Amino acid sequence: MSSVATKAGPSERVGRPPAIPQFAGRPRYGEKVIRFVLRIAAILTVVITVGILIALIVPSLGFFSQVSVGEFLFGTRWAPRFAEASFGVIPLITATLWTTTIALLVAIPLGLGAAILLAEYASSKARKTLKPILEILAGVPTVVYGLFALQFVQATVLRDWLQLDTGAFSVLAAGLVMGVMIVPTIASISEDAMSAVPSALRQGSAALGANRMQTTMRVVFPAALSGIVAAIVLGISRAIGETMIVAIAAGSQARIVTGPLEQGQTMTGFIANAALGDSRVGSIEYDTLFAVGLLLFGITLIINAISIRFVRRFREAY
Amino acid sequence: MTTQDLRDDEPEALHELAIELERKARARSIPDVPVGVMSCKDVDVYYGKFRAVTGVNLEFGRNEITALIGPSGCGKSTLLRSLNRMNDLVDGARVDGDVLFMGEDIYRKGVDPIEVRRRIGMVFQKPNPFPKSIYDNIAYGPRVTGMKVDSMDDLVEEALTKAVLWDEVKDKLKQSAFGLSGGQQQRLCIARTIAVKPDVILMDEPCSALDPIATMRIEDLMQELRQDYTIVIVTHNMQQAARVADRTAFFTALADKGTGDRTGVLVEFGRTTQIFEDPRDQRTEDYISGRFG
């Protein structure tokens, strides 16, 4: 354009040099404010996590100055409030292990089954109806689940109907109901992960003569593995950390649990019970709460770390 | 002389000439009436109440490449996807009329769509390798269909060799298929399809996501595959149809006066040379010469 104007000699354009571009723009204060708020939000989550950790560690140090780590982790008698106190955490761990394992045996198959049904088999109409119903389960307060476990599952189903040899409480009843509680968590997150796998992969699989189950298990599942493992880990964390159900239905005597029909006190169950009592701040009983809390925190952290490694190793990223 | 010899260093005009000669030679070698492996008899395809394609009668000749061309929305991809029952995966999709494969109606009651897809494979518009190793991508089909395989290694090599990909990937079979270029991924998808030993390969715009060089390689590959397979290709690219196809079917969309719904119809079907040089229908001529579409 400009060369044409030059050749043609003076033209009307000559008198008007192009305006100097104004790239400076106007200051956008709003954006700065938003960025500041977002940064604060991000920093706050880290600060709170660190704060919780410190709040757990400081009283725990007081505890471990009186009880050795070995005695705490490997001792088999838990009696912090007796005159002849003993601080072996193994009985609490066995109860937690039982309730968590039973809960996961219920929640993983049911949750993944529901996720596969919703993501791979159900019509979009059925999915739109079923998923919200499933998620309602996640909204039931845990204290309601606890009463359900105590009154219905333990008293009616296990004792009256099945005539099992069990007392007022059992880790089985608590574990089963906890499993039901976790199903929506695992199902919902796994379903999201599976639905996010591109349908081009499903079509490619179908075009090679694979049936739906083969496509699901060999293509969709490995591709969605990181989401599915995240769902299971969240389920495990909830099972280990769940308090109300075990406090109500699992029992309150800290003894090593050797079978599903026995009662037992879990780590969270102990914290809930003891925290309601009148432990004096700074007493060893009081510090015990934090030591158990720190152990819970550590266990969850280890499970997370393992799951991240597992996902890195086996995931088929798309 | 083949086009490959010329392509490397000869001028473009010579290349064009070679393609032209090859096309003419091929046109002579195919029978006047296709000896059908597959055929459509009065096929209509519906999505719910919407009729996407109607009244299609086609014959896909053995060891021939048939191109389906036409403007967007003319139902050519829809028709292609009904040839191996891929449309079954779409809610509400339905096929009327007969789609015959070796004389057998693939929509007859009791026919297992999974078996149909084993014999009639499909390559998609966008390369869609699985997020697995190159080796596992090829081995997937034989494994899931329970093919009796003496040596999976040999089968993988054979499929990759036929898809002219072996030399490029033989040292990285255990690496993820996602590390390959788009063109290589598409050839991998073709190799994957070959591995289950189908009779027919359907290709849904297989080059539309590829650059010209990768496109050329796929087109060369199609000429190789034509020796062993019957190929049906949907393409937006008329030059591509002219270059690769033995026969061409031209589709267009007709709007319903009442509802305004556009339904695809087959306008003309014949040898590619005839369709491009001597179209019988005005609409074909308009489309070929770029006057509409």
Side-chain angles (χ1 to χ4, degrees):
Chain A
M1 195 58 127
S2 62
S3 68
V4 172
T6 327
K7 270 183 199 162
S11 79
E12 52 185 294
R13 292 187 57 122
V14 171
R16 280 193 287 127
I20 294 161
Q22 295 287 330
F23 288 144
R26 281 175 296 125
R28 284 183 285 268
Y29 297 113
E31 203 159 324
K32 285 207 175 103
V33 171
I34 288 170
R35 213 151 58 180
F36 180 74
V37 170
L38 293 179
R39 192 168 299 168
I40 292 292
I43 291 171
L44 211 57
T45 58
V46 177
V47 169
I48 290 172
T49 310
V50 173
I52 290 175
L53 202 55
I54 292 171
L56 282 175
I57 287 174
V58 172
S60 300
L61 289 177
F63 174 79
F64 286 117
S65 67
Q66 296 180 52
V67 180
S68 78
V69 175
E71 191 187 334
F72 175 66
L73 287 181
F74 303 112
T76 52
R77 184 166 163 266
W78 184 256
R81 286 199 261 192
F82 286 14
E84 200 182 317
S86 174
F87 299 94
V89 83
I90 293 285
L92 301 187
I93 290 181
T94 58
T96 294
L97 215 59
W98 273 104
T99 54
T100 302
T101 307
I102 292 166
L104 292 175
L105 286 177
V106 174
I108 292 176
L110 284 184
L112 293 186
I116 289 172
L117 176 83
L118 288 174
E120 304 299 318
Y121 288 85
S123 66
S124 58
K125 204 175 142 198
R127 181 181 339 185
K128 279 188 194 120
T129 326
L130 284 173
K131 208 177 169 191
I133 293 175
L134 187 73
E135 282 167 352
I136 288 174
L137 267 185
V140 177
T142 53
V143 67
V144 176
Y145 279 117
L147 290 173
F148 176 69
L150 183 71
Q151 296 297 333
F152 182 70
V153 177
Q154 177 67 10
T156 309
V157 178
L158 297 183
R159 276 215 321 234
D160 294 353
W161 293 357
L162 299 177
Q163 298 285 322
L164 293 175
D165 176 24
T166 180
F169 310 101
S170 76
V171 290
L172 180 62
L176 289 175
V177 173
M178 208 153 80
V180 172
M181 179 196 78
I182 297 166
V183 166
T185 306
I186 292 182
S188 182
I189 297 174
S190 305
E191 196 267 334
D192 287 342
M194 291 170 77
S195 294
V197 174
S199 59
L201 295 182
R202 293 187 185 85
Q203 293 186 7
S205 174
L208 291 169
N211 62 35
R212 221 171 246 212
M213 200 26 105
Q214 288 168 329
T215 301
T216 303
M217 299 313 288
R218 297 180 186 220
V219 175
V220 179
F221 214 82
L225 189 68
S226 71
I228 290 168
V229 171
I232 292 173
V233 168
L234 191 62
I236 295 174
S237 302
R238 287 198 65 185
I240 293 175
E242 170 49 37
T243 306
M244 216 55 205
I245 296 173
V246 291
I248 293 175
S252 55
Q253 287 173 33
R255 282 194 308 235
I256 289 181
V257 183
T258 55
L261 295 175
E262 294 174 19
Q263 68 91 47
Q265 188 172 46
T266 65
M267 291 189 275
T268 52
F270 164 74
I271 295 177
N273 270 323
L276 293 175
D278 43 7
S279 314
R280 191 169 44 80
V281 174
S283 69
I284 180 130
E285 278 174 60
Y286 177 82
D287 288 348
T288 310
L289 291 172
F290 293 90
V292 175
L294 189 66
L295 182 63
L296 270 174
F297 191 90
I299 291 173
T300 319
L301 207 67
I302 289 167
I303 290 170
N304 271 305
I306 293 172
S307 71
I308 288 169
R309 292 200 145 206
F310 177 84
V311 167
R312 285 217 185 109
R313 171 88 178 72
F314 292 106
R315 185 185 178 204
E316 292 180 351
Y318 53 87
Chain B
M1 191 178 292
T2 69
T3 56
Q4 189 59 56
D5 299 329
L6 285 167
R7 255 167 212 166
D8 296 333
D9 42 31
E10 296 298 320
E12 198 161 319
L14 215 51
H15 173 207
E16 294 290 327
L17 180 71
I19 290 178
E20 187 65 22
L21 287 173
E22 201 175 89
R23 186 153 63 86
K24 289 254 164 69
R26 213 166 56 226
R28 275 192 298 276
S29 75
I30 62 168
D32 290 339
V33 179
V35 180
V37 173
M38 283 198 82
S39 56
C40 297
K41 301 246 185 289
D42 298 319
V43 167
D44 295 354
V45 186
Y46 294 83
Y47 292 121
K49 288 222 167 77
F50 170 62
R51 191 169 60 179
V53 194
T54 188
V56 176
N57 286 288
L58 271 177
E59 195 82 23
F60 301 106
R62 183 184 302 277
N63 295 358
E64 290 179 12
I65 299 177
T66 306
L68 311 181
I69 64 168
S72 298
C74 69
K76 53 194 188 301
S77 282
T78 297
L79 181 74
L80 189 80
R81 298 167 68 85
S82 65
L83 298 181
N84 72 340
R85 298 193 62 169
M86 282 303 283
N87 270 340
D88 287 19
L89 305 181
V90 180
D91 277 349
R94 184 165 59 83
V95 173
D96 277 0
D98 297 341
V99 178
L100 302 175
F101 173 69
M102 296 184 172
E104 187 92 8
D105 181 5
I106 64 169
Y107 284 93
R108 189 174 53 81
K109 224 177 153 191
V111 169
D112 182 356
I114 287 156
E115 285 303 312
V116 170
R117 293 184 202 125
R118 252 216 53 204
R119 305 290 297 275
I120 308 169
M122 187 167 216
V123 176
F124 297 82
Q125 188 168 353
K126 223 177 127 235
N128 60 347
F130 301 126
K132 299 176 185 292
S133 70
I134 292 167
Y135 185 100
D136 286 340
N137 261 276
I138 307 291
Y140 181 84
R143 282 179 186 151
V144 295
T145 51
M147 264 170 67
K148 297 252 185 307
V149 179
D150 290 334
S151 159
M152 189 61 87
D153 291 1
D154 291 348
L155 185 86
V156 168
E157 180 173 348
E158 187 193 326
L160 285 168
T161 305
K162 272 192 184 168
V164 203
L165 190 60
W166 175 249
D167 288 334
E168 289 159 70
V169 302
K170 64 182 176 210
D171 298 324
K172 47 181 181 180
L173 293 174
K174 295 288 168 202
Q175 288 174 27
S176 169
F178 279 32
L180 300 175
S181 72
Q184 289 174 323
Q185 287 187 5
Q186 194 64 300
R187 276 180 283 145
L188 180 70
C189 291
I190 293 172
R192 185 172 83 176
T193 305
I194 294 170
V196 293
K197 304 192 191 298
D199 297 280
V200 180
I201 302 176
L202 309 176
M203 297 187 171
D204 189 0
E205 300 186 40
C207 302
S208 66
L210 304 181
D211 65 55
I213 293 173
T215 299
M216 207 171 77
R217 303 197 68 162
I218 302 270
E219 288 180 9
D220 283 345
L221 171 58
M222 288 172 68
Q223 294 306 330
E224 298 282 326
L225 295 177
R226 184 175 167 271
Q227 318 296 327
D228 300 316
Y229 306 95
T230 299
I231 298 175
V232 184
I233 175 174
V234 163
T235 176
H236 263 304
N237 180 335
M238 277 186 287
Q239 284 74 36
Q240 181 168 62
R243 283 194 300 264
V244 302
D246 300 299
R247 290 179 217 273
T248 297
F250 171 66
F251 290 77
T252 194
L254 296 180
D256 185 295
K257 285 192 189 74
T259 60
D261 283 348
R262 291 164 65 82
T263 300
V265 290
L266 174 64
V267 175
E268 194 171 350
F269 174 54
R271 285 174 191 250
T272 300
T273 43
Q274 178 257 306
I275 294 284
F276 279 86
E277 287 158 17
D278 180 26
R280 311 255 152 87
D281 194 292
Q282 187 61 38
R283 289 169 295 179
T284 315
E285 184 165 354
D286 288 350
Y287 185 73
I288 301 290
S289 57
R291 256 172 283 179
F292 101 104

